[in-house]
Amino acid sequence: YIFGGKNLPSPSVSSTAVHPCDNHFNPELIPLLRNSYLGFSIDSGLALIRKGELTIVSGAPRGGYSGQVAFLRPDPRAKRHLSVELVLSGPGLASSFGYDVAVADFNGDGSRSVTLFGYSLSGNLDVDDNLYPDLAVGSLSDSVFVYRARPVVRVSSTLRVTPDKIDITKEQCDKRTCYFTAQACFSYISHPESFNPKLILNYTFEADIRKNNVRLPPRVGFLGVPRGKLELPGQDMEICTDIKLRLLRDFKDRLHSIPVSVTMSLGSSTQWTSEHVTPILDRFQPNNKVSEITLLNRGCGSDNICQSNLHLQYDFCSRQTENGKSVFRSLSGEDGVAVITPTEEDIALELTVTNWGGDDAHQTRSIISLPDTLRYSDIVSTASEPKVDCTVNDKGTLIDCGLGNPIQRDAEVTFCVMLTTSGISLSTKAVNITLQLQTTSRQDLKPVEAVAKVFFELKLQLYGLTRPSQVSFGQSLEGKSTIKSAEDIGAAVQYEFRITNLGRSLKSFTNASLNLFWPKENSAGKWLLYLSHTSSKGVQSVPCSPVNEIDHLKDVKTCTDGLRCVEIHCPLQGLDSTAMVVLHSRLWNTTFLEDYSSFNYLMITVDATLSLTNSPENTGLKSDRLSTQVKLTVFMEREIEYFTKVAWWIIFLTVIALLLLLAMMVFLLWMVNEIIS
């Protein structure tokens, strides 16, 4: 394609800038070769060439095969045309010089200068005779910029701390104050050797600055101001300054060395004028010096490197009180896995940390992460051991305990974390607690998972009695066909069973059942106890089962004691604290007359047990009274014979005999009295 183009005055000169139509193409008006893309970029500015004159800058990326930029101004003779003031060419073939142009004011003279800063460079000069090469930068805006090199100063420094090693235990630094002295010395060299000014050096002492920037309490403090200024009179002339430090007490980190450093920088001076530039520090040289105070530890061996051997053991326990002291009983089962029961009382997680055969374990901590189902309650430790210091987060699920500083070789620390179980629900099958030991001594410690199963134990107790406890059967023999009501069967007997719940309510938890082995018949199939009906208190009104065994004659099961018994189940739905189940029965008089009339008495026993129905796998009963036996003593009713008639002569002789006996006693008493008198 052909893009000739031509430059025309701006609209203020009543023309357009470019007209691409070849019909109006005039080669004489084009300052560059055809197809140069003149006008691809354009800008304008005042005083670019001469003060007060407008100059148009137009780029031609293809001009001269390397790109050109033309400086144009309105022709004074032909006002509609532009004349060329200057043409700049690109650095190389196809460099697209002039692709974009911009005009700006770099020197602040109110006139915009073209962006040709750096059009020419010169570095082979020393304008201030300081033996450092300076740089001159040229432009096409009547300006030259000179950059003067600053002398480079290399400062040498030394830092010495006395003493540089200390045994805190041996020197008794916990009881008295231990001091140190830090001395820093500085000197400088530069080029050339004749450059020998007085330099002002700023210095700052710092101590116990950790590499990981952890904000920990400092272990040393300065006696005096740790910063200042000093004057270096010339090259290779050393100047020193010192400061005292004191070792603080009751700090925790006694394993790592205490770093002491000094940082330097050049200060300002009035000797530097516009003729002499300010020197700078060598950027390839560090501006600080570091020394260390080594803390000696007897428990870390001859190399002063502590390699601990920490081990963590755990056990879930229940707390009991014996003789006014807390005693912890393990909850671990035969398989080694603990089983905890959610109750109102706290459970204990007993932790034992040992350091058998290891160097001192400094700043030993135990991080305990609890699940949402458990919450922190308290810390219990034995009095013979150092007190365990623990902090807990707001939720009570993250516990950070300091165990000792240090835990010495072959030492052992045991403590218990009391936990509440109120957050455990029926859906909780197990709890997992993450235990992580930490120490600043050398040891790779892995987290430990403390796992315990969850089992809900319902504390139910069962008591039973009969009203009355002893009954007798009559001598009237009645057949089944002659019995018209329950009163005709025999004496009434009530079996009362009281269920006591010492734990949580069963209303929305699970269901329990009262199981009775009812002695319905003897081995010959004859009735013993006829169950007429049942009643209950403290539970929902749910009939016992099987219902056809109550007030009806049906087949029954055989018990192991020779009696034919039927198993009765009475649901205890909605059991809260106490409940009462009463079985109303009748002694079957005919059976006792026919089969047991020769017995002095007969003992009838009813066995009763408690069980859960449709309960989760992690729910069960735990009590020493989940079963009971209720006994009824049955006697044969005996008739008492009364003698109502006695012969008259027997009565007469008896009276005479009594009178004679009385007379004889009176006579004897008279004779004794006479003898005495």
Side-chain angles (χ1 to χ4, degrees), residues 348-403:
L349 176 62
E350 184 182 64
L351 301 179
T352 301
V353 180
T354 59
N355 188 26
W356 304 120
D359 293 336
D360 288 356
H362 287 257
Q363 292 183 271
T364 305
R365 311 194 67 81
S366 175
I367 310 299
I368 305 169
S369 300
L370 302 178
D372 294 336
T373 52
L374 298 176
R375 289 293 184 275
Y376 166 83
S377 176
D378 193 11
I379 294 292
V380 179
S381 59
T382 59
S384 60
E385 297 175 347
K387 183 178 180 181
V388 177
D389 183 20
C390 297
T391 58
V392 188
N393 66 346
D394 295 336
K395 294 183 178 180
T397 57
L398 184 62
I399 309 169
D400 186 355
C401 295
L403 307 183

Coordinates of all heavy atoms in Angstrom, one line a residue, residues 348-403:
A348 N -10.7 -36.6 83.8 CA -9.4 -36.1 83.9 C -8.6 -36.8 82.8 O -8.7 -38.0 82.5 CB -8.7 -36.4 85.2
L349 N -7.8 -35.9 82.1 CA -6.8 -36.4 81.1 C -5.4 -36.3 81.8 O -4.9 -35.2 82.0 CB -6.8 -35.6 79.9 CG -5.8 -36.0 78.8 CD1 -6.0 -37.4 78.3 CD2 -5.8 -35.0 77.6
E350 N -4.9 -37.4 82.2 CA -3.6 -37.5 82.9 C -2.5 -37.5 81.9 O -2.4 -38.4 81.1 CB -3.5 -38.6 83.9 CG -2.3 -38.7 84.7 CD -2.2 -39.9 85.6 OE1 -2.2 -41.0 85.1 OE2 -2.3 -39.7 86.8
L351 N -1.5 -36.6 82.0 CA -0.4 -36.5 81.1 C 0.9 -36.7 81.9 O 1.1 -36.1 82.9 CB -0.4 -35.2 80.4 CG -1.6 -34.8 79.5 CD1 -1.5 -33.4 78.9 CD2 -1.9 -35.9 78.4
T352 N 1.7 -37.5 81.3 CA 3.0 -37.8 82.0 C 4.1 -37.5 80.9 O 4.1 -38.2 79.8 CB 3.1 -39.2 82.5 OG1 2.1 -39.4 83.5 CG2 4.5 -39.5 83.1
V353 N 5.0 -36.6 81.2 CA 6.1 -36.3 80.3 C 7.4 -36.7 81.0 O 7.7 -36.3 82.1 CB 6.1 -34.8 80.0 CG1 7.3 -34.4 79.0 CG2 4.8 -34.4 79.4
T354 N 8.2 -37.5 80.3 CA 9.5 -38.0 80.8 C 10.6 -37.5 79.9 O 10.4 -37.3 78.7 CB 9.5 -39.5 80.9 OG1 9.3 -40.1 79.6 CG2 8.4 -40.0 81.8
N355 N 11.8 -37.5 80.5 CA 13.0 -37.1 79.7 C 14.2 -38.1 80.1 O 15.2 -37.7 80.5 CB 13.4 -35.7 80.0 CG 14.6 -35.2 79.1 OD1 14.8 -35.6 78.0 ND2 15.4 -34.2 79.6
W356 N 13.8 -39.4 79.9 CA 14.8 -40.4 80.3 C 16.0 -40.4 79.4 O 15.9 -40.6 78.2 CB 14.2 -41.8 80.3 CG 12.9 -41.9 81.1 CD1 11.7 -42.2 80.7 CD2 12.8 -41.7 82.5 NE1 10.8 -42.2 81.7 CE2 11.4 -41.9 82.8 CE3 13.7 -41.3 83.5 CZ2 11.0 -41.8 84.1 CZ3 13.2 -41.2 84.8 CH2 11.9 -41.4 85.1
G357 N 17.2 -40.2 80.0 CA 18.4 -40.3 79.2 C 18.7 -39.2 78.3 O 19.7 -39.2 77.5
G358 N 18.0 -38.1 78.3 CA 18.2 -37.0 77.4 C 18.8 -35.8 78.1 O 18.8 -35.7 79.4
D359 N 19.3 -34.9 77.3 CA 19.8 -33.6 77.9 C 18.7 -32.8 78.4 O 17.5 -33.1 78.1 CB 20.6 -32.8 76.8 CG 21.9 -33.5 76.5 OD1 22.4 -34.3 77.3 OD2 22.4 -33.3 75.4
D360 N 19.0 -31.7 79.1 CA 17.9 -30.8 79.6 C 17.0 -30.3 78.5 O 17.5 -29.9 77.4 CB 18.5 -29.6 80.3 CG 19.2 -30.0 81.6 OD1 19.1 -31.2 82.0 OD2 19.8 -29.1 82.3
A361 N 15.7 -30.4 78.7 CA 14.7 -30.0 77.8 C 14.2 -28.6 78.2 O 13.5 -28.4 79.2 CB 13.5 -30.9 77.7
H362 N 14.7 -27.6 77.5 CA 14.4 -26.2 77.8 C 13.1 -25.7 77.3 O 12.7 -26.1 76.2 CB 15.5 -25.3 77.3 CG 16.8 -25.4 78.1 ND1 17.2 -24.4 79.0 CD2 17.8 -26.3 78.1 CE1 18.3 -24.8 79.6 NE2 18.7 -25.9 79.0
Q363 N 12.4 -24.9 78.1 CA 11.1 -24.3 77.7 C 10.1 -25.3 77.1 O 9.6 -25.2 76.0 CB 11.3 -23.2 76.7 CG 12.0 -21.9 77.2 CD 12.2 -20.8 76.2 OE1 13.1 -20.8 75.5 NE2 11.2 -19.9 76.2
T364 N 10.0 -26.4 77.9 CA 9.1 -27.5 77.4 C 7.6 -27.1 77.6 O 7.3 -26.6 78.7 CB 9.4 -28.8 78.2 OG1 10.8 -29.1 78.1 CG2 8.5 -29.9 77.7
R365 N 6.8 -27.3 76.6 CA 5.4 -26.9 76.6 C 4.6 -28.1 76.1 O 5.1 -28.9 75.3 CB 5.1 -25.6 75.9 CG 6.0 -24.5 76.2 CD 5.5 -23.2 75.6 NE 4.3 -22.8 76.3 CZ 4.3 -22.2 77.5 NH1 5.4 -21.9 78.1 NH2 3.1 -21.8 78.1
S366 N 3.4 -28.1 76.5 CA 2.4 -29.1 76.0 C 1.2 -28.3 75.4 O 0.5 -27.6 76.2 CB 2.0 -30.1 77.1 OG 1.0 -31.0 76.6
I367 N 1.0 -28.5 74.2 CA -0.2 -27.8 73.5 C -1.3 -28.9 73.4 O -1.1 -29.9 72.7 CB 0.2 -27.3 72.1 CG1 1.5 -26.4 72.2 CG2 -1.0 -26.5 71.6 CD1 1.3 -25.2 73.2
I368 N -2.4 -28.6 74.0 CA -3.6 -29.6 74.0 C -4.7 -29.0 73.2 O -5.2 -27.9 73.6 CB -4.0 -29.9 75.5 CG1 -2.8 -30.3 76.3 CG2 -5.1 -30.9 75.5 CD1 -3.0 -30.4 77.8
S369 N -5.1 -29.6 72.2 CA -6.2 -29.2 71.3 C -7.4 -30.1 71.6 O -7.4 -31.3 71.3 CB -5.8 -29.2 69.8 OG -4.7 -28.4 69.6
L370 N -8.5 -29.5 72.1 CA -9.7 -30.3 72.4 C -10.7 -30.2 71.3 O -10.8 -29.2 70.6 CB -10.3 -29.7 73.7 CG -9.4 -29.7 75.0 CD1 -10.2 -29.1 76.1 CD2 -8.9 -31.1 75.3
P371 N -11.5 -31.2 71.1 CA -12.6 -31.1 70.2 C -13.8 -30.3 70.8 O -13.7 -29.9 71.9 CB -13.1 -32.6 70.0 CG -12.7 -33.2 71.3 CD -11.4 -32.6 71.8
D372 N -14.7 -30.0 69.9 CA -15.8 -29.1 70.4 C -16.7 -29.8 71.5 O -17.4 -29.1 72.2 CB -16.7 -28.7 69.2 CG -16.0 -27.8 68.2 OD1 -15.0 -27.2 68.6 OD2 -16.4 -27.8 67.0
T373 N -16.6 -31.1 71.6 CA -17.4 -31.8 72.6 C -16.9 -31.7 74.0 O -17.5 -32.1 74.9 CB -17.6 -33.3 72.2 OG1 -16.3 -33.8 71.9 CG2 -18.4 -33.4 70.9
L374 N -15.6 -31.3 74.2 CA -15.0 -31.2 75.5 C -14.6 -29.7 75.7 O -14.3 -29.0 74.8 CB -13.8 -32.1 75.5 CG -14.0 -33.6 75.4 CD1 -12.7 -34.4 75.4 CD2 -14.9 -34.1 76.5
R375 N -14.5 -29.4 77.0 CA -14.1 -28.0 77.4 C -13.2 -28.1 78.6 O -13.3 -29.0 79.5 CB -15.4 -27.2 77.8 CG -16.2 -26.8 76.6 CD -15.5 -25.8 75.7 NE -16.3 -25.3 74.6 CZ -16.5 -26.0 73.5 NH1 -15.9 -27.1 73.3 NH2 -17.3 -25.5 72.5
Y376 N -12.3 -27.2 78.7 CA -11.3 -27.1 79.8 C -12.0 -26.7 81.1 O -12.9 -25.9 81.1 CB -10.2 -26.1 79.5 CG -9.4 -25.7 80.6 CD1 -8.3 -26.5 81.1 CD2 -9.6 -24.5 81.3 CE1 -7.5 -26.2 82.1 CE2 -8.9 -24.2 82.4 CZ -7.8 -25.0 82.8 OH -7.0 -24.6 83.9
S377 N -11.6 -27.4 82.2 CA -12.2 -27.0 83.5 C -11.1 -26.6 84.5 O -11.3 -25.5 85.1 CB -13.0 -28.2 84.1 OG -13.4 -27.9 85.4
D378 N -10.1 -27.4 84.7 CA -9.1 -27.0 85.7 C -7.8 -27.8 85.4 O -7.8 -28.8 84.6 CB -9.6 -27.3 87.1 CG -8.8 -26.7 88.2 OD1 -7.9 -25.9 87.8 OD2 -9.0 -27.1 89.3
I379 N -6.7 -27.5 86.1 CA -5.5 -28.2 86.1 C -5.1 -28.7 87.5 O -5.2 -27.9 88.4 CB -4.3 -27.3 85.5 CG1 -4.5 -26.9 84.1 CG2 -3.0 -28.0 85.7 CD1 -4.4 -28.1 83.1
V380 N -4.8 -29.9 87.6 CA -4.4 -30.5 88.9 C -3.1 -31.2 88.7 O -2.8 -32.0 87.8 CB -5.5 -31.6 89.3 CG1 -5.1 -32.2 90.7 CG2 -6.9 -31.0 89.4
S381 N -2.1 -30.8 89.6 CA -0.8 -31.3 89.6 C -0.4 -31.7 91.0 O -0.9 -31.2 92.0 CB 0.2 -30.3 89.0 OG 0.2 -29.1 89.8
T382 N 0.5 -32.7 91.1 CA 1.0 -33.1 92.4 C 1.8 -32.0 93.1 O 2.5 -31.3 92.4 CB 1.7 -34.4 92.3 OG1 2.9 -34.2 91.5 CG2 0.9 -35.5 91.7
A383 N 1.8 -32.0 94.4 CA 2.5 -30.9 95.1 C 4.0 -31.1 95.1 O 4.7 -30.2 95.2 CB 2.0 -30.9 96.6
S384 N 4.4 -32.3 94.9 CA 5.9 -32.6 94.9 C 6.6 -32.2 93.6 O 7.8 -32.1 93.5 CB 6.1 -34.1 95.1 OG 5.5 -34.9 94.1
E385 N 5.8 -31.8 92.6 CA 6.4 -31.5 91.3 C 6.2 -30.0 91.1 O 5.4 -29.3 91.7 CB 5.7 -32.3 90.2 CG 5.9 -33.8 90.3 CD 5.1 -34.5 89.3 OE1 4.3 -33.9 88.6 OE2 5.4 -35.7 89.1
P386 N 7.0 -29.4 90.1 CA 6.8 -28.0 89.8 C 5.4 -27.7 89.3 O 4.8 -28.5 88.6 CB 7.9 -27.7 88.7 CG 8.9 -28.8 88.9 CD 8.1 -30.0 89.4
K387 N 4.9 -26.5 89.7 CA 3.6 -26.1 89.3 C 3.5 -26.0 87.7 O 4.4 -25.3 87.1 CB 3.2 -24.8 89.9 CG 1.7 -24.4 89.6 CD 1.4 -23.2 90.4 CE -0.1 -22.7 90.0 NZ -0.4 -21.5 90.7
V388 N 2.5 -26.6 87.1 CA 2.3 -26.5 85.7 C 1.5 -25.2 85.4 O 0.5 -24.9 86.0 CB 1.6 -27.7 85.2 CG1 1.3 -27.5 83.7 CG2 2.4 -28.9 85.4
D389 N 2.1 -24.3 84.6 CA 1.5 -23.0 84.2 C 0.8 -23.2 82.9 O 1.4 -23.4 81.9 CB 2.5 -22.0 84.2 CG 1.9 -20.6 84.0 OD1 0.7 -20.4 84.2 OD2 2.7 -19.7 83.5
C390 N -0.5 -23.0 82.9 CA -1.3 -23.1 81.6 C -2.1 -21.9 81.3 O -2.6 -21.2 82.2 CB -2.3 -24.3 81.8 SG -1.5 -25.9 82.0
T391 N -2.3 -21.7 80.0 CA -3.2 -20.6 79.5 C -4.2 -21.3 78.6 O -3.8 -22.2 77.9 CB -2.4 -19.5 78.8 OG1 -1.7 -20.1 77.7 CG2 -1.4 -18.8 79.7
V392 N -5.4 -20.7 78.6 CA -6.5 -21.3 77.8 C -7.1 -20.2 76.9 O -7.2 -19.0 77.4 CB -7.6 -21.9 78.7 CG1 -8.6 -22.7 77.9 CG2 -6.9 -22.8 79.7
N393 N -7.6 -20.6 75.7 CA -8.2 -19.6 74.9 C -9.7 -19.4 75.3 O -10.1 -20.0 76.3 CB -8.2 -20.1 73.4 CG -9.0 -21.3 73.2 OD1 -9.4 -22.0 74.1 ND2 -9.3 -21.7 71.9
D394 N -10.3 -18.4 74.7 CA -11.7 -18.1 75.2 C -12.7 -19.2 75.0 O -13.6 -19.3 75.9 CB -12.2 -16.9 74.3 CG -11.3 -15.6 74.6 OD1 -10.7 -15.6 75.7 OD2 -11.3 -14.7 73.7
K395 N -12.5 -20.1 74.0 CA -13.5 -21.2 73.8 C -13.2 -22.3 74.8 O -14.0 -23.2 74.9 CB -13.4 -21.7 72.4 CG -13.9 -20.7 71.4 CD -13.9 -21.3 70.0 CE -14.4 -20.3 69.0 NZ -14.4 -20.9 67.6
G396 N -12.0 -22.3 75.4 CA -11.7 -23.5 76.3 C -11.3 -24.7 75.5 O -11.4 -25.8 76.1
T397 N -10.8 -24.6 74.3 CA -10.5 -25.7 73.5 C -9.0 -25.8 73.2 O -8.6 -26.8 72.6 CB -11.3 -25.7 72.2 OG1 -11.0 -24.5 71.5 CG2 -12.8 -25.8 72.4
L398 N -8.2 -24.8 73.5 CA -6.8 -24.8 73.2 C -6.1 -24.5 74.5 O -6.2 -23.4 75.1 CB -6.4 -23.9 72.1 CG -4.9 -23.9 71.7 CD1 -4.6 -25.2 71.1 CD2 -4.7 -22.8 70.7
I399 N -5.3 -25.4 75.0 CA -4.6 -25.3 76.3 C -3.1 -25.3 76.1 O -2.6 -26.2 75.4 CB -5.0 -26.4 77.3 CG1 -6.5 -26.5 77.4 CG2 -4.4 -26.2 78.7 CD1 -7.0 -27.7 78.1
D400 N -2.4 -24.3 76.6 CA -0.9 -24.2 76.4 C -0.3 -24.2 77.8 O -0.5 -23.3 78.6 CB -0.6 -22.9 75.7 CG 0.9 -22.8 75.4 OD1 1.7 -23.7 75.8 OD2 1.3 -21.8 74.7
C401 N 0.4 -25.3 78.1 CA 1.0 -25.5 79.4 C 2.5 -25.5 79.4 O 3.1 -26.3 78.6 CB 0.4 -26.9 80.0 SG -1.3 -26.9 80.3
G402 N 3.1 -24.7 80.3 CA 4.5 -24.8 80.5 C 4.9 -25.8 81.5 O 4.3 -25.8 82.6
L403 N 5.7 -26.8 81.2 CA 6.0 -27.9 82.0 C 7.3 -27.8 82.8 O 7.5 -28.6 83.8 CB 6.1 -29.2 81.2 CG 4.9 -29.4 80.3 CD1 5.0 -30.8 79.5 CD2 3.6 -29.4 81.0

